[in-house]
Amino acid sequence: RIDMMVLSHFDLDHVGEAHHIISRMAVDHIYVNPNDPGFQAWYEDMPDAFQGVLVDALHIRELQVGDIAIRRLFPGPAHSDDDPNRNSLVLEVETGSYNFLFTGDTDQEMEQLWVSEAGKIEADVLKLAHHGSDTSTGEYFIANADFTYGLVSAGAGNRYGHPHREVLERAGGMALLDTSKHGMVRFKIDGREMCIETKLDPSLNHCIKKRAE
């Protein structure tokens, strides 16, 4: 059972398995941007098995799922663009002592829009946008943000050359974890302790613990 499925945007590499999952297990809520140009076609193919609720991310900005708090930074209800990437949901996710920033495939122009509105962005973990493409994680964003870890989700030997060298250089102030090199990355949080595990590079595995405030 899945309490909530979050779909950043409707490019196939981000939602290609969603219907497969929905048809095989109960999904209570799906958090989506209905203004995304790919939403309608995706919704029309929704499996009959789905009995949950579609949550409109443009009108429900903040969510509390158990102890997890989710806040949408971008896009807003007035945003309109024909490019699915530029409709990506940008989400701050707080899990008690640790917080994450998920950026979908948003590009540098969109980064400047939401950073200028949100102010300085701080999080323990950044999921770098667009698989580490040089279209994202721009200098303006990095200059107005502070992250401890950077996570790149990219396939080994992918044809796009993700992650791009210049992005890794810009993000050099973070401890970078790259699925194309390190395999699956897992963050396990238990209270004030967070343990990081990689499938292919045990030398990177470690735990950190925050002090009580």
Side-chain angles (χ1 to χ4, degrees), residues 81-162:
D81 200 290
D82 292 336
D83 184 344
N85 289 341
R86 292 161 68 94
N87 285 277
S88 292
L89 293 175
V90 177
L91 304 176
E92 283 186 321
V93 178
E94 295 187 6
T95 61
S97 297
Y98 295 91
N99 57 334
F100 296 71
L101 183 70
F102 294 96
T103 53
D105 280 352
T106 188
D107 63 20
Q108 291 190 35
E109 184 179 350
M110 299 300 104
E111 287 174 351
Q112 292 189 37
L113 280 177
W114 54 265
V115 171
S116 64
E117 293 177 1
K120 184 166 183 173
I121 306 291
E122 297 182 1
D124 296 292
V125 182
L126 165 70
K127 201 288 291 181
L128 273 72
H130 210 170
H131 320 286
S133 168
D134 58 9
T135 60
S136 307
T137 319
E139 292 179 359
Y140 179 85
F141 174 57
I142 292 297
N144 290 278
D146 185 18
F147 306 102
T148 304
Y149 297 93
L151 174 64
V152 178
S153 177
N158 66 86
R159 59 181 173 151
Y160 303 103
H162 295 156

